[in-house]
Amino acid sequence: MAVNKSKYSFDFEEYDSIEDLSPTDALLVSEARKATSLAYAPYSNFKVGAYALLNNGSYLKGSNQENASYPVGICAERALLASIGQLFPNEPIVSMAISYDNLNGKSNKPLSPCGMCRQALQEYESRVNQPIRLLLSGLEGKIFIIEQSNSLLPFSFKGDDLK
Ligand code: THU
């Protein structure tokens, strides 16, 4: 019996601190960290901030907005994508920094975007035909940089699958 084994992997960069980043990347990470303060997260106490640079030079922020009816809440990344969709329709995103402030316990492990946001980011990338560079971090310390968000969602379900 023939079995083809395949492997999926991707490269990412790991930085020890914001001081090791380029000025633009440092600004994005610092603003994403600040944007955590805009989160409305009284249920999870997990405040997420996102900050994006668009091709047209605009910067926009997002944060998670929760609800007493838990599934109604929206993540920071998708709140930001929704803003971009209204303010600058179809404008490609150069980079998006995402950070968090976990009031339940301190950790500076770089944020891992949830599956639903990975799906939304990937759709945005395909729709405007440009990868979104992700800068993932906690409030301090390490930053992971991933050149395209779809690396985080292998075997993803896409619009083409509906044809
Ligand atoms: N959350 C985000 O905003 N982004 C993520 O990538 C992970 C999770 C939010 C959703 C919810 O308000 C809280 O964090 C805890 O899951």
Side-chain angles (χ1 to χ4, degrees):
M1 190 170 70
V3 178
N4 288 322
K5 287 200 177 176
S6 304
K7 190 165 109 178
Y8 173 82
S9 67
F10 66 94
D11 295 326
F12 65 100
E13 294 169 358
E14 197 172 329
Y15 293 86
D16 282 338
S17 124
I18 198 168
E19 281 141 41
D20 301 326
L21 302 180
S22 71
T24 305
D25 285 352
L27 173 98
L28 290 167
V29 170
S30 148
E31 291 298 324
R33 287 173 171 173
K34 277 193 215 154
T36 59
S37 67
L38 303 171
Y40 174 66
Y43 304 103
S44 70
N45 284 323
F46 191 85
K47 301 170 90 173
V48 184
Y51 199 75
L53 166 63
L54 311 186
N55 276 20
N56 67 6
S58 303
Y59 291 92
L60 273 94
K61 58 189 148 192
S63 60
N64 55 332
Q65 301 293 317
E66 297 185 347
N67 193 281
S69 174
Y70 291 4
V72 175
I74 184 165
C75 291
E77 299 90 322
R78 280 177 297 119
L80 176 52
L81 288 177
S83 293
I84 295 169
Q86 315 317 307
L87 296 171
F88 301 106
N90 298 314
E91 187 64 26
I93 301 168
V94 179
S95 301
M96 184 186 290
I98 316 164
S99 190
Y100 68 97
D101 183 8
N102 184 4
L103 306 180
N104 301 310
K106 284 292 155 206
S107 156
N108 284 316
K109 180 173 157 280
L111 178 123
S112 199
C114 83
M116 202 184 271
C117 289
R118 293 177 194 209
Q119 182 77 23
L121 289 162
Q122 178 239 240
E123 178 108 7
Y124 199 93
E125 280 183 338
S126 324
R127 171 182 161 189
V128 302
N129 203 20
Q130 181 177 297
I132 303 171
R133 222 169 133 255
L134 294 181
L135 298 93
L136 308 175
S137 74
L139 277 189
E140 289 175 359
K142 270 199 178 14
I143 297 125
F144 291 167
I145 300 189
I146 300 168
E147 285 304 318
Q148 46 187 65
S149 79
N150 72 13
S151 297
L152 290 179
L153 198 64
F155 292 98
S156 62
F157 182 74
K158 298 199 175 80
D160 278 354
D161 295 316
L162 296 170
K163 287 178 188 157

